[in-house]
Amino acid sequence: MPQDFLGRILFILDNYLPSLLRGAGTTILVALVGTFFGCIIGFIIGIIQTIPLEKNDSLPKKAVLRALRLVLYCYVEVFRGTPMLVQAMFIYYGSMELFGIDMSMWFAAFFIVSINTGAYMAETVRGGILSIDVGQTEGAKAIGMNHVQTMVNVILPQALRNILPQIGNNLIINIKDTCVLAGIGTVELFFASKSVAGSYYWYFQTYTITMAMYLVMTLFFSRLLRWFEKKMDGDESYSLAHTDTLEQTSGLYKFRGKNRKERR
Amino acid sequence: MNDEKILEVRHLSKKFGENTVLIDIDFSVHTGSVICIIGASGSGKSTLLRCINLLETPTSGEVLFHGTDITKPGTNIPAYRAKVGMVFQNFNLFNNMTALKNCMIGTRRVLGLSSEESHERALFYLNKVGMSPFINAKPRQLSGGQKQRVAIARALAMEPEVLLFDEPTSALDPQMVGEVLSVMRTLAEEGLTMLIVTHEMAFARDVSSRVVYMNEGVICEEGTPEQILVNPQKQETRDFLSRFMNG
């Protein structure tokens, strides 16, 4: 048995790296799936919350919409206002005791992270929608689009760009916070680390590795999202369309290497 | 111009809280006519136009489109708006789309045309407003006048029965005003029914079949361009015009 710090770290890596990596893989999978479905939940709630209620709308429509909004409001407040670990316990054990549903570990993990993220995203999406100039909505209405068409074609693509940093934030938070799922037995990175640390009582060494692994994951995804943001912004320039294709034949060829250098 | 009334506004009033903006407005638009609405800022011109397109809900009164009141509950408002186009002071082009996509999205999603058809139509109308070289440009890459011409093409692509213009040149500098007005002139000559809120008196005089002068939420005077702009009968109209002409 190695006695020094570095020796112990190497020993752990040598023997337990696969199990730690599996844990990290689970963490990433749960975080990605949870964030993805959380975003979808957020977008759906965002659309519903921003349906305009007009004075001459029919009574049933008003009633249904009001009721729906109340339910969604409660959902957001409850899941934003309680810790995810407690939610996980509540849902996992509650569903078993009340309804006799034995959730699989995976389903429970995805479900809990998704609805938790959804509650946060609902507010983020609402903010994103509100950030888009009302003129965009009016422009869409003026050519006859209904609320859903306006949202899907015009508002949400722009809102998505604006809230992308916040989605990234949520993903990073989820990568870290899935560690609470160890509480319901999801074998993610923290759970795996705990087992490794426990077998030799080398806590400091094990968690040094765990820290590094979490940091690598979060750094990777934050860089990835930055790159994606840039890509979404599109080109700074545009090409003129010429009806006569022979009009401009010289000077159009792009020399790849040279052009790359010219870009920032 | 013929006798059919395409749009009819009856006893229309609009209040924002305690603030009354429009009082008992009555007027009608005949097919093929061009009506210019003039008046000082805050006189309710824009609100009137927005009420006609139901971007604002009228407090009371009716708006008849081919004789049907569209302010009644149960009206298919998107379908109505697809037939009554609108061009805004601030263009309101969709920032996430190129000029071409801006003109295609309505025909594609609202009218349900095939992508070839809507592409063709978009190109036709972009060409008409002289913007065909710029189909790949995003709104942020265009000048004000160019944006407004794309916005007009977007409205035209829907092939509306009436086109409403809400101060289409007010956000443009003088050089660009000309390019937008010349497009609108062409449309007027082609017989498109238009309702234009404007401060361009020369344009109003040249193209409109009727001019409406609004003051403090009411239609103060209405008539042919000569009646209103050359020989106004009411003192308010005269005051407004003299203030306007003398800058």
Side-chain angles (χ1 to χ4, degrees):
Chain A
M1 285 293 125
Q3 296 301 312
D4 60 316
F5 181 74
L6 204 65
R8 285 181 174 179
I9 283 191
L10 288 174
F11 182 83
I12 294 168
L13 285 178
D14 206 25
N15 291 289
Y16 294 101
L17 189 62
S19 99
L20 289 175
L21 282 180
R22 253 199 311 279
T26 306
T27 295
I28 289 176
L29 187 64
V30 171
L32 281 176
V33 172
T35 310
F36 178 74
F37 284 106
C39 287
I40 290 181
I41 295 173
F43 272 104
I44 292 170
I45 296 178
I47 292 178
I48 295 173
Q49 298 284 31
T50 51
I51 294 175
L53 264 184
E54 313 258 325
K55 216 171 58 183
N56 52 4
D57 278 333
S58 61
L59 210 61
K61 186 187 165 189
K62 278 185 192 166
V64 168
L65 205 57
R66 288 247 164 80
L68 199 58
R69 276 185 192 173
L70 186 67
V71 171
L72 294 175
Y73 175 77
C74 292
Y75 158 72
V76 169
E77 292 300 330
V78 167
F79 283 92
R80 220 171 39 153
T82 52
M84 189 153 80
L85 176 57
V86 181
Q87 291 164 18
M89 299 289 188
F90 179 77
I91 291 172
Y92 187 65
Y93 295 109
S95 66
M96 207 173 323
E97 208 155 313
L98 284 181
F99 308 109
I101 303 167
D102 188 4
M103 286 188 190
S104 77
M105 182 271 281
W106 285 110
F107 179 77
F110 291 152
F111 183 71
I112 288 155
V113 178
S114 297
I115 55 171
N116 189 278
T117 311
Y120 281 96
M121 282 305 299
E123 285 298 286
T124 306
V125 171
R126 204 170 62 86
I129 291 171
L130 292 179
S131 77
I132 305 302
D133 177 34
V134 66
Q136 297 285 306
T137 312
E138 290 186 350
K141 278 182 175 174
I143 56 171
M145 285 195 196
N146 59 34
H147 183 68
V148 173
Q149 285 170 333
T150 306
M151 280 292 154
V152 171
N153 294 303
V154 179
I155 306 299
L156 290 183
Q158 296 182 51
L160 178 68
R161 172 61 191 89
N162 287 358
I163 64 173
L164 211 55
Q166 187 54 35
I167 291 178
N169 238 349
N170 266 325
L171 180 63
I172 303 290
I173 289 170
N174 278 343
I175 289 174
K176 297 182 299 169
D177 282 7
T178 43
C179 73
V180 303
L181 294 175
I184 57 165
T186 307
V187 190
E188 40 64 68
L189 184 54
F190 177 64
F191 195 106
S193 309
K194 225 165 52 169
S195 322
V196 174
S199 35
Y200 295 95
Y201 299 103
W202 293 346
Y203 290 99
F204 180 43
Q205 290 81 354
T206 312
Y207 287 113
T208 305
I209 296 173
T210 311
M211 283 280 280
M213 288 176 81
Y214 271 116
L215 195 59
V216 168
M217 291 194 284
T218 51
L219 284 177
F220 172 75
F221 280 105
S222 63
R223 290 295 168 283
L224 190 72
L225 277 152
R226 274 286 158 77
W227 171 82
F228 188 63
E229 268 178 47
K230 268 213 169 134
K231 213 181 148 206
M232 256 188 104
D233 286 341
D235 269 345
E236 279 301 307
S237 55
Y238 61 92
S239 56
L240 288 178
H242 294 273
T243 38
D244 183 359
T245 46
L246 293 175
E247 191 178 335
Q248 270 202 357
T249 45
S250 62
L252 270 182
Y253 183 75
K254 281 183 183 170
F255 293 96
R256 284 196 155 259
K258 202 178 162 194
N259 239 26
R260 284 234 176 96
K261 260 181 221 161
E262 278 167 7
R263 280 185 205 147
R264 284 170 293 146
Chain B
M1 199 195 335
N2 60 31
D3 277 346
E4 202 219 348
K5 284 178 185 170
I6 188 163
L7 267 175
E8 228 181 319
V9 176
R10 280 192 195 155
H11 306 296
L12 185 100
S13 296
K14 175 68 184 174
K15 283 181 189 171
F16 290 111
E18 290 298 294
N19 188 13
T20 309
V21 185
L22 295 174
I23 309 154
D24 202 27
I25 301 285
D26 260 300
F27 80 106
S28 50
V29 182
H30 294 264
T31 307
S33 62
V34 176
I35 296 180
C36 282
I37 304 175
I38 60 170
S41 298
S43 58
K45 311 180 300 287
S46 290
T47 307
L48 174 59
L49 220 56
R50 292 168 62 83
C51 279
I52 292 175
N53 206 356
L54 296 179
L55 287 175
E56 304 287 353
T57 315
T59 310
S60 65
E62 297 173 333
V63 178
L64 306 183
F65 180 62
H66 288 301
T68 320
D69 183 12
I70 47 106
T71 59
K72 275 205 187 104
T75 309
N76 186 347
I77 295 172
Y80 163 70
R81 289 199 185 114
K83 291 180 200 146
V84 179
M86 180 135 175
V87 173
F88 299 88
Q89 182 176 354
N90 295 315
F91 330 123
N92 294 348
L93 286 179
F94 306 136
N95 294 325
N96 55 326
M97 301 176 200
T98 61
L100 181 67
K101 276 295 281 294
N102 261 286
C103 299
M104 282 177 67
I105 193 82
T107 48
R108 186 88 186 86
R109 300 275 171 242
V110 179
L111 301 184
L113 298 188
S114 72
S115 55
E116 291 80 33
E117 271 177 295
S118 68
H119 186 252
E120 212 168 282
R121 225 194 238 195
L123 284 181
F124 176 79
Y125 286 106
L126 280 166
N127 188 35
K128 193 178 186 97
V129 299
M131 285 299 291
S132 49
F134 299 93
I135 54 174
N136 296 322
K138 289 269 182 81
R140 69 188 143 98
Q141 296 160 329
L142 296 172
S143 73
Q146 291 173 328
K147 279 190 229 185
Q148 194 59 293
R149 283 189 283 154
V150 173
I152 293 173
R154 175 177 73 179
L156 288 175
M158 297 298 289
E159 299 189 341
E161 295 176 36
V162 187
L163 199 46
L164 313 173
F165 289 84
D166 185 9
E167 300 196 28
T169 57
S170 297
L172 304 176
D173 57 45
Q175 211 180 344
M176 295 170 181
V177 169
E179 65 187 56
V180 171
L181 289 185
S182 80
V183 167
M184 291 169 65
R185 240 175 253 266
T186 315
L187 297 175
E189 281 159 18
E190 288 175 3
L192 180 69
T193 313
M194 300 199 282
L195 197 52
I196 305 166
V197 169
T198 187
H199 291 296
E200 300 292 329
M201 296 306 157
F203 174 77
R205 188 189 58 222
D206 291 350
V207 302
S208 52
S209 28
R210 292 186 80 73
V211 174
V212 173
Y213 169 64
M214 281 184 70
N215 187 28
E216 290 174 356
V218 295
I219 291 181
C220 185
E221 205 172 341
E222 185 186 351
T224 62
E226 288 74 31
Q227 285 170 339
I228 304 298
L229 298 171
V230 185
N231 298 310
Q233 298 304 305
K234 297 222 174 138
Q235 191 56 44
E236 290 96 326
T237 320
R238 264 182 239 143
D239 289 347
F240 170 74
L241 287 171
S242 68
R243 245 182 301 132
F244 213 89
M245 298 309 174
N246 302 330

